[in-house]
Amino acid sequence: MHPAAGAPRIDMHTHSAASDGTDSPEALIAAAVAAGLTVIALTDHDTTAGWAGAAAVLPPGLILVPGAEVSCMVIDRDRRVSVHLLAYLFDRAEPVFAAARARLRTERLDRGRRIVAALSDGGVPIGWDDIHALAGGAPIGRPHIARALVAAGAAGTVQEAFTTLLHPTSPYYRRKQDLEATEAVRLVRAAGGVSVFAHPRARRRGRVVSDDVIHELADAGLGGLEVDHTDHDDEDRAQLRRLAAQLGLVTTGSSDYHGTNKTVRLGAETTAPWAYEAICAQGTGAQVITA
Ligand code: AMP
Ligand code: FE
Ligand code: FE
Ligand code: ZN
């Protein structure tokens, strides 16, 4: 269970209750210690609100990489595809990227309201106030709505809510206006950050992009591809590794931990030290945080 002393264990993608995870930032750090991690990146959706709480409780020997996961879209062969971009080591005060994150949070609130209204109109009444309370000020994500659906008995589990009422093909699903992905890569760069395309082949969530899009993002300054992720099979990983090598991109691995909103455990997938160091070498907007 515990790695050899001193062996690096690097998880570059995790969520706290500052977005749609269930562990507070402080509890996430405690869980990282228990999982034997040496590096943890906190990448809450569209917010940096968890950085301070996590930083405040860091023990010696654990490095915190400040980050975020931003919701993006891209038009690929005339079809809209939703994609997630991980951003690391950016300057959170840089105004253009900060304004983009603020807009995405407002979109989440509005989209959450629209989904809840559609569900209520369709005879699945769940209370907006309960969801708002559950989120506790975090940007609203479908996991918050999923938990309300479970509490109301409209879904058996969070997972089930995602494959039924909250799936993109559901009549109750509503879209938000996400950042255009190429633009997002440029914004992260301009804020001194490094961007990594999160779970690029996660087909269960919906459509995925063609390699052409990944080429375009690389041209715009993308830093890496998240290759080792539970939503990728062996073939996906092999293809992504080849593509990354071809484009000179770093490859990462991470759990995408969300506490009890998902079953994956912290450190279930990890990033190689060379890739972590390459990201640190490219990020100039913020520094990694240590005790
Ligand atoms: P949203 O960003 O509000 O559209 O919701 C997407 C989020 O829902 C992702 O970041 C995941 O945290 C979560 N998610 C997606 N699919 C599932 C699933 N099958 N089970 C639990 N959580 C999921
Ligand atoms: Fe999430
Ligand atoms: Fe994601
Ligand atoms: Zn994530």
Side-chain angles (χ1 to χ4, degrees):
M1 193 61 209
H2 283 278
R9 234 167 108 65
I10 304 167
D11 192 335
M12 290 298 281
H13 180 173
T14 71
H15 297 265
S16 76
S19 67
D20 60 2
T22 55
D23 291 355
S24 66
E26 295 80 5
L28 177 68
I29 294 303
V33 172
L37 297 185
T38 56
V39 177
I40 181 170
L42 177 59
T43 52
D44 277 312
H45 296 285
D46 310 321
T47 182
T48 61
W51 290 7
V57 297
L58 266 186
L62 179 61
I63 296 170
L64 173 66
V65 182
E69 181 175 24
V70 286
S71 302
C72 302
M73 57 77 72
V74 64
I75 303 295
D76 185 15
R77 294 167 298 192
D78 297 329
R79 303 180 83 186
R80 182 189 186 280
V81 185
S82 155
V83 306
H84 286 173
L85 193 72
L86 293 161
Y88 301 110
L89 301 170
F90 56 88
D91 174 6
R92 61 182 288 185
E94 188 284 317
V96 184
F97 187 38
R101 294 192 303 279
R103 191 187 65 73
L104 289 170
R105 294 194 295 273
T106 305
E107 275 295 316
R108 285 185 167 279
L109 201 61
D110 176 66
R111 192 274 304 247
R113 277 210 188 86
R114 286 187 284 124
I115 291 180
V116 169
L119 285 164
S120 295
D121 290 349
V124 191
I126 49 169
W128 174 249
D129 291 346
D130 296 344
I131 293 169
H132 212 244
L134 190 65
I140 306 287
R142 276 180 290 159
H144 299 115
I145 304 172
R147 277 161 63 192
L149 286 167
V150 172
T157 62
V158 166
Q159 291 287 333
E160 189 198 306
F162 267 95
T163 55
T164 57
L165 296 168
L166 296 179
H167 195 268
T169 57
S170 158
Y172 307 113
Y173 180 79
R174 295 292 182 274
R175 231 183 230 174
K176 44 191 172 55
Q177 292 276 326
D178 291 332
L179 270 179
E180 200 285 316
T182 315
E183 173 70 6
V185 165
R186 295 207 178 95
L187 287 182
V188 172
R189 261 269 150 128
V194 184
S195 57
V196 170
F197 192 154
H199 44 71
R201 290 268 156 77
R203 279 175 300 271
R204 267 194 303 131
R205 297 159 188 257
R207 264 175 226 150
V208 299
V209 298
S210 64
D211 288 357
D212 291 349
V213 169
I214 298 179
H215 277 83
E216 282 161 25
L217 295 177
D219 288 344
L222 182 72
L225 299 180
E226 186 178 55
V227 170
D228 292 308
H229 186 284
T230 43
D231 288 358
H232 292 162
D233 63 25
D234 290 347
E235 180 58 26
D236 294 330
R237 296 178 194 214
Q239 286 176 5
L240 287 170
R241 247 184 269 285
R242 277 197 293 276
L243 187 58
Q246 197 186 327
L247 296 172
L249 298 174
V250 163
T251 56
T252 65
S254 33
S255 65
D256 199 357
Y257 175 77
H258 279 73
T260 58
N261 274 344
K262 280 190 184 174
T263 53
V264 72
R265 288 176 306 128
L266 263 181
E269 307 274 0
T270 54
T271 292
W274 70 266
Y276 162 69
E277 278 152 23
I279 289 168
C280 291
Q282 290 170 50
T284 57
Q287 297 205 320
V288 298
I289 303 168
T290 54

